[in-house]
Coordinates of all heavy atoms in Angstrom, one line a residue:
M1 N 0.8 -1.2 0.0 CA 0.0 0.0 0.0 C 0.9 1.3 0.0 O 0.7 2.2 -0.8 CB -0.9 -0.1 1.2 CG -2.0 1.0 1.2 SD -3.1 0.8 -0.2 CE -3.9 2.4 -0.2
K2 N 1.8 1.2 0.9 CA 2.8 2.4 1.0 C 3.5 2.6 -0.4 O 3.7 3.7 -0.8 CB 3.8 2.1 2.1 CG 4.3 3.3 2.8 CD 5.1 2.9 4.0 CE 5.6 4.1 4.7 NZ 6.5 3.9 5.8
R3 N 3.9 1.4 -1.0 CA 4.6 1.4 -2.2 C 3.7 2.1 -3.3 O 4.2 2.9 -4.1 CB 4.9 0.0 -2.6 CG 6.0 -0.1 -3.6 CD 6.3 -1.6 -3.9 NE 7.1 -1.7 -5.1 CZ 8.4 -1.7 -5.1 NH1 9.0 -1.7 -4.0 NH2 9.0 -1.8 -6.3
I4 N 2.4 1.7 -3.4 CA 1.5 2.2 -4.4 C 1.4 3.8 -4.2 O 1.5 4.5 -5.2 CB 0.1 1.5 -4.3 CG1 0.3 0.1 -4.8 CG2 -0.9 2.3 -5.2 CD1 -0.9 -0.8 -4.5
G5 N 1.3 4.2 -3.0 CA 1.2 5.6 -2.7 C 2.4 6.4 -3.2 O 2.3 7.4 -3.8
Y6 N 3.6 5.8 -3.0 CA 4.8 6.4 -3.5 C 4.9 6.5 -5.0 O 5.2 7.5 -5.6 CB 6.0 5.6 -3.0 CG 7.3 6.1 -3.5 CD1 7.9 7.2 -2.9 CD2 8.0 5.5 -4.6 CE1 9.1 7.8 -3.4 CE2 9.2 6.0 -5.0 CZ 9.7 7.1 -4.4 OH 10.9 7.6 -4.9
V7 N 4.4 5.4 -5.7 CA 4.4 5.4 -7.1 C 3.5 6.5 -7.7 O 3.8 7.2 -8.6 CB 4.1 4.0 -7.7 CG1 3.8 4.1 -9.2 CG2 5.2 3.0 -7.4
S8 N 2.3 6.6 -7.1 CA 1.3 7.6 -7.6 C 1.8 9.0 -7.3 O 1.6 9.9 -8.1 CB -0.1 7.3 -7.1 OG -0.1 6.9 -5.8
A9 N 2.5 9.2 -6.2 CA 3.0 10.5 -5.9 C 4.1 10.9 -7.0 O 4.1 12.0 -7.5 CB 3.6 10.5 -4.5
A10 N 4.9 9.9 -7.4 CA 5.9 10.1 -8.4 C 5.3 10.5 -9.7 O 5.7 11.4 -10.5 CB 6.8 8.9 -8.5
L11 N 4.2 9.7 -10.1 CA 3.5 10.0 -11.3 C 2.9 11.3 -11.4 O 3.0 12.1 -12.3 CB 2.4 8.9 -11.6 CG 2.9 7.5 -12.0 CD1 1.7 6.5 -12.0 CD2 3.6 7.6 -13.3
L12 N 2.3 11.7 -10.2 CA 1.7 13.0 -10.1 C 2.7 14.1 -10.3 O 2.5 15.1 -11.0 CB 0.9 13.1 -8.8 CG 0.2 14.5 -8.5 CD1 -0.9 14.6 -9.5 CD2 -0.3 14.6 -7.1
A13 N 3.8 13.9 -9.6 CA 4.9 14.9 -9.7 C 5.4 15.1 -11.1 O 5.6 16.2 -11.6 CB 6.1 14.5 -8.8
S14 N 5.5 14.0 -11.9 CA 6.0 14.1 -13.2 C 5.0 14.7 -14.1 O 5.3 15.5 -15.0 CB 6.5 12.8 -13.8 OG 5.5 12.0 -14.1
A15 N 3.7 14.4 -13.9 CA 2.6 15.1 -14.7 C 2.6 16.6 -14.4 O 2.5 17.3 -15.4 CB 1.3 14.4 -14.3
L16 N 2.8 17.0 -13.2 CA 2.8 18.4 -12.9 C 3.9 19.1 -13.5 O 3.8 20.2 -14.0 CB 2.8 18.6 -11.3 CG 1.5 18.3 -10.6 CD1 1.7 18.4 -9.1 CD2 0.4 19.2 -11.1
S17 N 5.1 18.5 -13.5 CA 6.3 19.2 -14.1 C 6.1 19.3 -15.6 O 6.6 20.3 -16.1 CB 7.6 18.5 -13.6 OG 7.7 17.3 -14.2
S18 N 5.5 18.3 -16.2 CA 5.4 18.5 -17.7 C 4.3 19.5 -18.0 O 4.4 20.2 -19.0 CB 5.1 17.1 -18.4 OG 4.0 16.5 -17.8
M19 N 3.4 19.7 -17.1 CA 2.4 20.8 -17.3 C 3.1 22.1 -17.2 O 2.8 23.0 -18.0 CB 1.3 20.7 -16.3 CG 0.1 19.8 -16.7 SD -0.9 19.4 -15.2 CE -1.5 21.0 -14.7
A20 N 4.0 22.2 -16.3 CA 4.7 23.5 -16.1 C 5.5 23.8 -17.3 O 5.6 25.0 -17.7 CB 5.6 23.4 -14.9
Y21 N 6.0 22.8 -18.0 CA 6.8 23.1 -19.2 C 5.9 23.5 -20.4 O 6.3 24.3 -21.2 CB 7.6 21.9 -19.6 CG 8.9 21.8 -18.9 CD1 9.2 20.9 -17.9 CD2 9.9 22.8 -19.1 CE1 10.4 20.9 -17.2 CE2 11.1 22.7 -18.4 CZ 11.3 21.8 -17.4 OH 12.5 21.8 -16.8
A22 N 4.7 22.9 -20.4 CA 3.8 23.2 -21.5 C 3.3 24.6 -21.5 O 3.2 25.2 -22.5 CB 2.6 22.2 -21.4
E23 N 3.2 25.2 -20.3 CA 2.7 26.6 -20.2 C 3.9 27.5 -20.0 O 4.4 27.5 -18.9 CB 1.7 26.7 -19.1 CG 0.3 26.7 -19.5 CD -0.7 26.9 -18.4 OE1 -0.6 27.9 -17.7 OE2 -1.6 26.0 -18.3
I24 N 4.3 28.2 -21.0 CA 5.4 29.1 -20.8 C 4.9 30.5 -20.4 O 4.0 31.0 -21.1 CB 6.2 29.2 -22.2 CG1 6.8 27.8 -22.5 CG2 7.3 30.2 -22.1 CD1 7.4 27.7 -23.9
D25 N 5.5 31.0 -19.4 CA 5.1 32.3 -18.9 C 6.0 33.4 -19.5 O 7.1 33.7 -18.9 CB 5.1 32.3 -17.3 CG 4.5 33.6 -16.8 OD1 4.3 34.5 -17.6 OD2 4.3 33.7 -15.6
A26 N 5.7 33.8 -20.7 CA 6.6 34.7 -21.4 C 6.7 36.0 -20.7 O 7.8 36.6 -20.7 CB 6.0 35.0 -22.8
R27 N 5.7 36.4 -20.0 CA 5.8 37.7 -19.2 C 6.8 37.6 -18.1 O 7.6 38.6 -17.9 CB 4.4 38.0 -18.6 CG 4.3 39.3 -17.9 CD 2.8 39.7 -17.7 NE 2.7 40.8 -16.8 CZ 2.5 40.7 -15.5 NH1 2.5 39.6 -14.9 NH2 2.4 41.8 -14.8
A28 N 6.9 36.5 -17.4 CA 7.9 36.3 -16.4 C 9.3 36.3 -16.9 O 10.2 36.9 -16.3 CB 7.6 35.0 -15.6
I29 N 9.5 35.7 -18.1 CA 10.8 35.7 -18.7 C 11.1 37.2 -19.1 O 12.3 37.6 -18.9 CB 10.8 34.8 -20.0 CG1 10.5 33.4 -19.5 CG2 12.2 34.9 -20.6 CD1 10.4 32.4 -20.7
A30 N 10.2 37.9 -19.7 CA 10.4 39.3 -20.1 C 10.9 40.2 -19.0 O 11.7 41.1 -19.2 CB 9.1 39.8 -20.8
F31 N 10.4 39.9 -17.8 CA 10.8 40.8 -16.7 C 12.3 40.6 -16.4 O 13.0 41.6 -16.1 CB 10.0 40.4 -15.4 CG 8.7 41.2 -15.3 CD1 7.5 40.5 -15.4 CD2 8.7 42.6 -15.1 CE1 6.3 41.2 -15.3 CE2 7.5 43.3 -15.0 CZ 6.3 42.6 -15.2
N32 N 12.8 39.4 -16.7 CA 14.3 39.2 -16.6 C 15.0 40.1 -17.6 O 16.0 40.7 -17.3 CB 14.6 37.7 -16.8 CG 16.0 37.4 -16.6 OD1 16.8 38.2 -16.0 ND2 16.4 36.3 -17.1
C33 N 14.5 40.1 -18.8 CA 15.1 40.9 -19.9 C 15.1 42.3 -19.6 O 16.1 43.1 -19.9 CB 14.4 40.6 -21.2 SG 13.9 38.9 -21.6
W34 N 14.0 42.8 -19.0 CA 13.9 44.2 -18.7 C 14.8 44.7 -17.6 O 14.9 45.9 -17.3 CB 12.4 44.6 -18.4 CG 11.6 44.6 -19.7 CD1 11.9 45.0 -20.9 CD2 10.2 44.2 -19.8 NE1 10.9 44.8 -21.8 CE2 9.8 44.4 -21.1 CE3 9.2 43.7 -18.9 CZ2 8.5 44.1 -21.6 CZ3 8.0 43.5 -19.3 CH2 7.6 43.7 -20.7
N35 N 15.4 43.8 -16.9 CA 16.4 44.2 -15.9 C 17.5 44.9 -16.6 O 18.1 45.8 -16.0 CB 17.0 43.0 -15.2 CG 16.2 42.5 -14.1 OD1 15.5 43.3 -13.4 ND2 16.2 41.2 -13.8
C36 N 17.9 44.5 -17.8 CA 19.0 45.2 -18.5 C 18.4 46.0 -19.7 O 18.9 47.1 -19.9 CB 19.9 44.1 -19.1 SG 20.8 43.2 -17.8
H37 N 17.5 45.5 -20.5 CA 17.0 46.2 -21.6 C 15.9 47.2 -21.2 O 14.7 46.9 -21.5 CB 16.5 45.2 -22.7 CG 17.6 44.3 -23.2 ND1 18.4 44.7 -24.2 CD2 18.0 43.1 -22.9 CE1 19.3 43.7 -24.5 NE2 19.0 42.7 -23.7
T38 N 16.3 48.2 -20.6 CA 15.3 49.2 -20.1 C 15.1 50.3 -21.1 O 15.8 50.3 -22.2 CB 15.8 49.8 -18.8 OG1 17.0 50.4 -19.0 CG2 15.9 48.7 -17.7
E39 N 14.4 51.3 -20.7 CA 14.2 52.5 -21.6 C 15.5 53.1 -21.8 O 15.8 53.7 -22.9 CB 13.3 53.5 -20.9 CG 11.8 53.1 -20.9 CD 11.2 53.0 -22.3 OE1 11.4 53.9 -23.1 OE2 10.5 52.0 -22.5
S40 N 16.4 53.1 -20.8 CA 17.7 53.8 -21.0 C 18.6 53.1 -22.1 O 19.6 53.6 -22.5 CB 18.5 53.8 -19.7 OG 18.8 52.5 -19.2
S41 N 18.2 51.8 -22.5 CA 18.9 51.2 -23.6 C 18.7 52.0 -24.9 O 19.5 51.8 -25.9 CB 18.4 49.8 -23.8 OG 18.3 49.0 -22.6
L42 N 17.8 52.9 -24.9 CA 17.6 53.7 -26.1 C 18.6 54.8 -26.2 O 18.9 55.4 -27.3 CB 16.2 54.3 -26.1 CG 15.0 53.4 -26.1 CD1 13.7 54.1 -25.9 CD2 14.9 52.7 -27.5
D43 N 19.3 55.0 -25.1 CA 20.3 56.0 -25.0 C 21.5 55.5 -25.8 O 22.0 54.4 -25.7 CB 20.7 56.2 -23.5 CG 21.7 57.3 -23.3 OD1 22.5 57.6 -24.1 OD2 21.6 57.9 -22.2
A44 N 22.1 56.4 -26.6 CA 23.2 56.0 -27.5 C 24.4 55.6 -26.7 O 25.3 54.8 -27.2 CB 23.5 57.1 -28.5
K45 N 24.5 56.1 -25.5 CA 25.7 55.8 -24.6 C 25.6 54.4 -24.0 O 26.6 53.9 -23.5 CB 25.9 56.8 -23.5 CG 26.4 58.1 -24.1 CD 26.5 59.2 -23.0 CE 25.1 59.7 -22.8 NZ 24.9 60.8 -21.9
S46 N 24.4 53.8 -24.0 CA 24.3 52.5 -23.3 C 24.9 51.4 -24.2 O 24.8 51.4 -25.4 CB 22.8 52.2 -23.1 OG 22.6 50.8 -22.7
S47 N 25.6 50.4 -23.5 CA 26.2 49.3 -24.2 C 25.2 48.2 -24.4 O 25.5 47.2 -25.1 CB 27.5 48.8 -23.5 OG 27.1 48.5 -22.2
I48 N 24.0 48.3 -23.8 CA 23.0 47.3 -23.9 C 22.0 47.8 -25.0 O 21.4 48.9 -24.8 CB 22.3 47.0 -22.6 CG1 23.3 46.6 -21.6 CG2 21.2 46.0 -22.8 CD1 22.7 46.3 -20.2
P49 N 21.9 47.0 -26.1 CA 21.0 47.5 -27.2 C 19.5 47.5 -26.8 O 19.1 46.7 -26.0 CB 21.3 46.5 -28.3 CG 21.8 45.3 -27.6 CD 22.5 45.8 -26.4
S50 N 18.8 48.4 -27.4 CA 17.4 48.5 -27.2 C 16.7 47.3 -28.0 O 17.1 46.9 -29.1 CB 16.8 49.8 -27.8 OG 15.4 49.7 -27.9
L51 N 15.6 46.8 -27.5 CA 14.9 45.8 -28.2 C 13.6 46.3 -28.8 O 12.8 45.6 -29.5 CB 14.5 44.7 -27.2 CG 15.6 44.0 -26.4 CD1 15.0 43.0 -25.4 CD2 16.6 43.4 -27.3
K52 N 13.4 47.6 -28.6 CA 12.2 48.3 -29.0 C 11.8 48.1 -30.5 O 10.6 47.8 -30.8 CB 12.2 49.8 -28.8 CG 12.1 50.1 -27.3 CD 10.7 50.6 -27.0 CE 10.5 50.8 -25.5 NZ 9.2 50.8 -25.1
S53 N 12.8 48.2 -31.4 CA 12.4 48.2 -32.8 C 12.4 46.9 -33.5 O 12.2 46.7 -34.7 CB 13.3 49.2 -33.6 OG 14.6 48.8 -33.3
L54 N 12.8 45.8 -32.7 CA 12.9 44.5 -33.3 C 11.6 43.7 -33.4 O 10.8 43.7 -32.4 CB 14.0 43.7 -32.5 CG 15.3 44.3 -32.4 CD1 16.3 43.4 -31.5 CD2 16.0 44.5 -33.8
S55 N 11.4 43.0 -34.5 CA 10.2 42.2 -34.7 C 10.4 40.9 -33.9 O 11.5 40.5 -33.5 CB 10.0 41.9 -36.1 OG 11.0 41.1 -36.6
A56 N 9.3 40.2 -33.8 CA 9.3 38.9 -33.1 C 10.3 37.9 -33.8 O 11.1 37.3 -33.1 CB 7.9 38.2 -33.1
Q57 N 10.3 38.0 -35.1 CA 11.2 37.1 -35.9 C 12.7 37.5 -35.7 O 13.6 36.7 -35.5 CB 10.8 37.2 -37.4 CG 11.8 36.6 -38.4 CD 12.0 35.1 -38.1 OE1 11.1 34.4 -37.6 NE2 13.2 34.6 -38.4
Q58 N 13.0 38.8 -35.6 CA 14.3 39.3 -35.4 C 14.8 38.9 -34.0 O 16.0 38.5 -33.8 CB 14.4 40.8 -35.6 CG 14.3 41.2 -37.1 CD 14.1 42.8 -37.2 OE1 13.4 43.4 -36.4 NE2 14.9 43.3 -38.1
L59 N 13.9 39.1 -33.0 CA 14.3 38.8 -31.6 C 14.6 37.3 -31.5 O 15.5 36.9 -30.9 CB 13.1 39.2 -30.7 CG 13.0 40.7 -30.4 CD1 11.6 41.0 -29.8 CD2 14.1 41.1 -29.4
R60 N 13.7 36.5 -32.1 CA 13.8 35.1 -32.0 C 15.1 34.6 -32.6 O 15.8 33.8 -32.0 CB 12.6 34.4 -32.6 CG 12.6 32.9 -32.5 CD 11.3 32.3 -33.1 NE 11.4 30.9 -33.3 CZ 11.8 30.4 -34.4 NH1 12.2 31.1 -35.5 NH2 11.9 29.1 -34.5
Q61 N 15.4 35.1 -33.8 CA 16.6 34.7 -34.5 C 17.9 35.1 -33.7 O 18.8 34.3 -33.6 CB 16.7 35.3 -35.9 CG 17.7 34.7 -36.8 CD 17.5 33.2 -36.9 OE1 16.4 32.7 -37.3 NE2 18.5 32.4 -36.6
A62 N 17.9 36.4 -33.2 CA 19.0 36.8 -32.4 C 19.2 35.9 -31.2 O 20.3 35.5 -30.9 CB 18.8 38.2 -31.9
L63 N 18.1 35.5 -30.5 CA 18.2 34.7 -29.3 C 18.7 33.3 -29.6 O 19.6 32.7 -28.9 CB 16.9 34.6 -28.6 CG 16.4 35.9 -28.0 CD1 14.9 35.8 -27.5 CD2 17.3 36.3 -26.8
L64 N 18.2 32.7 -30.7 CA 18.7 31.4 -31.1 C 20.2 31.5 -31.6 O 21.0 30.6 -31.3 CB 17.9 30.9 -32.3 CG 16.4 30.5 -31.9 CD1 15.6 30.1 -33.1 CD2 16.4 29.3 -30.9
D65 N 20.6 32.6 -32.2 CA 22.0 32.7 -32.6 C 22.9 32.8 -31.4 O 24.0 32.3 -31.4 CB 22.1 34.0 -33.5 CG 21.6 33.7 -34.9 OD1 21.2 32.6 -35.3 OD2 21.5 34.7 -35.7
F66 N 22.4 33.5 -30.4 CA 23.2 33.6 -29.1 C 23.3 32.2 -28.5 O 24.4 31.8 -28.2 CB 22.5 34.5 -28.1 CG 22.6 36.0 -28.4 CD1 21.5 36.8 -28.3 CD2 23.9 36.6 -28.7 CE1 21.6 38.2 -28.5 CE2 24.0 37.9 -29.0 CZ 22.9 38.8 -28.9
K67 N 22.2 31.5 -28.4 CA 22.1 30.2 -27.8 C 23.1 29.2 -28.5 O 23.8 28.5 -27.8 CB 20.7 29.7 -27.8 CG 20.6 28.3 -27.1 CD 19.1 27.9 -26.9 CE 19.1 26.5 -26.4 NZ 17.7 26.0 -26.2
Y68 N 23.1 29.2 -29.8 CA 23.8 28.2 -30.5 C 25.2 28.8 -31.0 O 25.8 28.3 -32.0 CB 23.0 27.6 -31.7 CG 21.8 26.8 -31.1 CD1 20.5 27.3 -31.2 CD2 22.0 25.6 -30.5 CE1 19.5 26.6 -30.6 CE2 21.0 24.9 -30.0 CZ 19.7 25.4 -30.0 OH 18.6 24.7 -29.5
D69 N 25.7 29.8 -30.3 CA 27.0 30.4 -30.6 C 27.2 30.8 -32.0 O 28.3 30.7 -32.6 CB 28.1 29.4 -30.1 CG 28.1 29.2 -28.6 OD1 27.9 30.2 -27.9 OD2 28.3 28.1 -28.2
K70 N 26.2 31.3 -32.7 CA 26.3 31.8 -34.1 C 26.5 33.3 -34.1 O 26.8 33.9 -35.1 CB 25.1 31.4 -34.9 CG 25.0 30.0 -35.1 CD 23.8 29.6 -36.0 CE 23.6 28.1 -36.2 NZ 22.2 27.8 -36.4
K71 N 26.3 33.9 -32.9 CA 26.4 35.4 -32.8 C 27.3 35.7 -31.6 O 26.9 35.5 -30.5 CB 25.0 36.0 -32.6 CG 24.9 37.5 -32.7 CD 23.4 37.8 -32.6 CE 23.1 39.2 -32.3 NZ 22.9 40.1 -33.4
P72 N 28.6 36.1 -31.9 CA 29.5 36.3 -30.7 C 29.0 37.5 -29.9 O 28.6 38.5 -30.4 CB 30.8 36.6 -31.4 CG 30.6 36.8 -32.8 CD 29.2 36.5 -33.2
A73 N 29.0 37.3 -28.6 CA 28.6 38.3 -27.6 C 29.1 38.0 -26.3 O 29.7 36.9 -26.1 CB 27.1 38.4 -27.6
T74 N 29.0 38.9 -25.3 CA 29.5 38.7 -24.0 C 28.6 37.9 -23.1 O 28.9 36.9 -22.5 CB 29.9 40.0 -23.3 OG1 28.7 40.8 -23.3 CG2 30.9 40.8 -24.1
L75 N 27.4 38.4 -23.0 CA 26.5 37.9 -21.9 C 25.3 37.1 -22.4 O 24.9 36.1 -21.8 CB 25.9 39.2 -21.3 CG 25.3 39.1 -19.9 CD1 25.7 40.3 -19.1 CD2 23.8 38.9 -20.0
M76 N 24.7 37.5 -23.6 CA 23.5 36.9 -24.1 C 23.7 35.4 -24.3 O 22.7 34.7 -24.1 CB 23.0 37.7 -25.3 CG 22.3 39.0 -24.9 SD 21.0 38.9 -23.7 CE 19.9 37.8 -24.5
P77 N 24.8 34.9 -24.9 CA 24.9 33.5 -25.1 C 24.7 32.7 -23.8 O 24.0 31.6 -23.8 CB 26.3 33.3 -25.7 CG 26.7 34.6 -26.3 CD 26.0 35.6 -25.4
R78 N 25.3 33.2 -22.7 CA 25.1 32.4 -21.5 C 23.7 32.4 -21.0 O 23.2 31.4 -20.5 CB 26.0 33.1 -20.4 CG 27.5 33.1 -20.8 CD 28.3 33.9 -19.9 NE 28.5 33.3 -18.6 CZ 29.2 33.9 -17.7 NH1 29.8 35.0 -17.8 NH2 29.3 33.3 -16.5
L79 N 23.0 33.6 -21.2 CA 21.6 33.7 -20.8 C 20.7 32.8 -21.7 O 19.9 32.1 -21.2 CB 21.3 35.2 -20.8 CG 20.0 35.5 -20.0 CD1 20.4 36.5 -19.0 CD2 18.9 36.0 -20.9
A80 N 20.9 33.0 -23.0 CA 20.0 32.3 -23.9 C 20.1 30.7 -23.7 O 19.1 30.0 -23.9 CB 20.4 32.6 -25.3
K81 N 21.3 30.2 -23.3 CA 21.4 28.8 -23.1 C 20.6 28.3 -22.0 O 20.3 27.1 -21.9 CB 22.9 28.5 -22.9 CG 23.7 28.5 -24.1 CD 25.2 28.2 -23.8 CE 26.1 28.1 -25.0 NZ 26.2 29.3 -25.8
G82 N 20.1 29.2 -21.1 CA 19.3 28.8 -20.0 C 17.8 28.6 -20.4 O 17.0 28.1 -19.5
Y83 N 17.5 28.9 -21.6 CA 16.0 28.8 -22.0 C 15.9 27.8 -23.1 O 16.8 27.6 -24.0 CB 15.5 30.1 -22.5 CG 15.4 31.2 -21.4 CD1 16.4 32.2 -21.3 CD2 14.4 31.1 -20.4 CE1 16.3 33.1 -20.3 CE2 14.3 32.1 -19.4 CZ 15.3 33.1 -19.3 OH 15.2 34.0 -18.3
S84 N 14.7 27.1 -23.2 CA 14.4 26.2 -24.3 C 14.2 27.1 -25.6 O 13.8 28.3 -25.4 CB 13.2 25.3 -24.0 OG 12.1 26.1 -24.0
D85 N 14.2 26.5 -26.7 CA 13.9 27.2 -28.0 C 12.5 27.7 -27.9 O 12.2 28.8 -28.4 CB 14.1 26.3 -29.2 CG 15.5 25.9 -29.5 OD1 16.4 26.3 -28.6 OD2 15.8 25.3 -30.5
A86 N 11.6 26.9 -27.3 CA 10.1 27.4 -27.3 C 10.0 28.6 -26.3 O 9.2 29.5 -26.6 CB 9.3 26.2 -26.8
E87 N 10.8 28.6 -25.2 CA 10.7 29.7 -24.3 C 11.3 31.0 -25.0 O 10.7 32.1 -24.9 CB 11.5 29.4 -23.0 CG 10.8 28.5 -22.1 CD 11.7 28.0 -21.0 OE1 12.9 27.8 -21.2 OE2 11.1 27.7 -19.9
L88 N 12.3 30.8 -25.8 CA 12.9 32.0 -26.5 C 11.9 32.5 -27.5 O 11.7 33.7 -27.7 CB 14.2 31.6 -27.2 CG 15.4 31.3 -26.2 CD1 16.6 30.8 -26.9 CD2 15.7 32.4 -25.2
A89 N 11.2 31.6 -28.2 CA 10.2 32.0 -29.2 C 9.1 32.8 -28.5 O 8.6 33.8 -29.0 CB 9.7 30.8 -30.0
A90 N 8.7 32.3 -27.4 CA 7.6 32.9 -26.6 C 7.9 34.3 -26.1 O 7.1 35.2 -26.3 CB 7.2 32.0 -25.5
V91 N 9.1 34.4 -25.6 CA 9.5 35.8 -25.1 C 9.8 36.7 -26.2 O 9.5 37.9 -26.1 CB 10.7 35.7 -24.1 CG1 12.0 35.5 -24.8 CG2 10.7 36.9 -23.2
A92 N 10.2 36.2 -27.4 CA 10.4 37.1 -28.6 C 9.1 37.7 -29.0 O 8.9 38.9 -29.3 CB 11.1 36.3 -29.7
E93 N 8.1 36.8 -29.1 CA 6.7 37.2 -29.5 C 6.2 38.2 -28.5 O 5.6 39.3 -28.9 CB 5.9 35.9 -29.6 CG 4.4 36.1 -29.6 CD 3.9 36.9 -30.8 OE1 4.6 36.9 -31.8 OE2 2.9 37.7 -30.6
Y94 N 6.4 37.9 -27.2 CA 5.9 38.8 -26.1 C 6.6 40.2 -26.2 O 5.9 41.2 -26.2 CB 6.1 38.2 -24.8 CG 5.5 39.0 -23.6 CD1 4.2 38.8 -23.2 CD2 6.3 39.9 -22.9 CE1 3.6 39.5 -22.2 CE2 5.7 40.6 -21.9 CZ 4.4 40.4 -21.5 OH 3.8 41.1 -20.5
L95 N 7.9 40.2 -26.3 CA 8.6 41.5 -26.3 C 8.3 42.3 -27.6 O 8.4 43.6 -27.5 CB 10.1 41.2 -26.2 CG 10.6 40.7 -24.9 CD1 12.1 40.3 -25.0 CD2 10.5 41.8 -23.8
S96 N 8.0 41.7 -28.7 CA 7.8 42.4 -29.9 C 6.5 43.3 -29.8 O 6.3 44.1 -30.6 CB 7.6 41.4 -31.1 OG 6.4 40.7 -31.0
R97 N 5.7 43.0 -28.8 CA 4.4 43.7 -28.7 C 4.6 44.9 -27.7 O 3.7 45.6 -27.4 CB 3.3 42.8 -28.1 CG 2.9 41.8 -29.2 CD 1.7 41.0 -28.8 NE 2.1 39.7 -28.3 CZ 1.7 39.2 -27.1 NH1 1.0 39.9 -26.3 NH2 2.1 38.0 -26.8
Y98 N 5.9 45.2 -27.3 CA 6.1 46.3 -26.4 C 7.1 47.3 -27.0 O 7.8 47.0 -27.9 CB 6.7 45.8 -25.0 CG 5.6 45.2 -24.2 CD1 5.3 43.9 -24.4 CD2 4.8 46.0 -23.4 CE1 4.2 43.3 -23.7 CE2 3.8 45.5 -22.7 CZ 3.5 44.1 -22.8 OH 2.4 43.6 -22.1
Ligands
HEC25 C1 22.3 41.1 -17.5 C2 21.9 42.0 -18.6 C3 21.0 41.4 -19.7 C4 19.9 40.6 -19.6 C5 19.2 40.1 -18.3 C6 19.3 40.4 -20.9 N1 20.2 41.0 -21.8 FE1 19.9 40.9 -23.9 N2 21.7 41.9 -24.1 C7 22.5 42.3 -23.1 C8 23.8 42.8 -23.7 C9 25.0 43.3 -22.9 C10 23.7 42.6 -25.1 C11 24.8 42.9 -26.1 C12 25.3 41.5 -26.6 C13 26.2 40.9 -25.6 O1 27.3 41.3 -25.4 O2 25.8 39.9 -25.0 C14 22.3 42.1 -25.3 C15 21.8 41.9 -26.6 C16 20.5 41.4 -26.8 C17 19.9 41.3 -28.1 C18 20.6 41.7 -29.5 C19 20.0 43.0 -29.9 C20 20.6 43.6 -31.1 O3 20.1 44.6 -31.6 O4 21.6 43.0 -31.6 C21 18.7 40.7 -28.0 C22 17.7 40.3 -29.1 C23 18.5 40.5 -26.6 N3 19.7 41.0 -25.9 C24 17.4 40.0 -26.0 C25 17.3 39.7 -24.6 C26 16.2 38.9 -24.1 C27 15.0 38.4 -24.9 C28 16.4 38.8 -22.8 C29 15.6 38.1 -21.7 C30 15.4 36.7 -21.9 C31 17.6 39.5 -22.5 N4 18.1 40.0 -23.6 C32 18.2 39.7 -21.2 C33 22.3 42.3 -21.7 C34 21.2 41.6 -21.2

């Protein structure tokens, strides 16, 4: 009985974690981006580029290029590697609307 309880708890835990992956919270990811890519990024003196004028496609491509080391950079490759391709596409779509 105890054993069955343990197995169903494990199944429930794995079901819950796959649900968490299925639902990507693009807004939560975007808050991380906005720590650096703020309004002041529009300032010509800032070394952090503005994301304002980029389309969803341009953002997505830049993020994938960072992730797969196709675009040399200091910080973004390390950051992009922390997200799945689907998460990068979702945040690109979200950011393109701001
Ligand atoms: C800790 C600061 C920091 C955070 C957080 C950050 N970025 Fe960046 N981002 C940079 C810097 C610095 C660059 C310039 C490239 C480099 O050296 O990495 C950059 C460049 C970019 C570029 C290229 C823009 C262009 O015109 O070439 C994109 C797109 C981008 N970031 C998107 C994002 C997204 C999306 C997030 C959130 C998932 C994010 N960044 C989070 C600092 C940051």
Side-chain angles (χ1 to χ4, degrees):
M1 190 62 195
K2 212 173 181 184
R3 198 184 165 91
I4 291 168
Y6 176 77
V7 170
S8 37
L11 285 175
L12 181 66
S14 77
L16 286 175
S17 69
S18 52
M19 269 165 63
Y21 277 109
E23 259 184 57
I24 296 169
D25 189 350
R27 184 166 170 265
I29 300 174
F31 274 111
N32 183 20
C33 316
W34 285 327
N35 278 328
C36 293
H37 296 278
T38 58
E39 289 295 317
S40 63
S41 309
L42 296 171
D43 188 327
K45 283 176 284 186
S46 173
S47 57
I48 301 178
S50 165
L51 304 179
K52 285 257 173 204
S53 57
L54 301 177
S55 69
Q57 171 58 30
Q58 288 171 316
L59 284 164
R60 184 173 165 271
Q61 195 55 57
L63 291 169
L64 290 173
D65 287 350
F66 285 135
K67 181 175 174 180
Y68 295 105
D69 294 318
K70 290 183 185 153
K71 190 174 161 93
T74 57
L75 199 143
M76 286 304 300
R78 301 169 71 181
L79 197 119
K81 284 178 175 59
Y83 294 104
S84 69
D85 291 7
E87 286 170 327
L88 294 177
V91 77
E93 165 60 32
Y94 186 86
L95 288 169
S96 70
R97 289 187 261 127
Y98 285 87

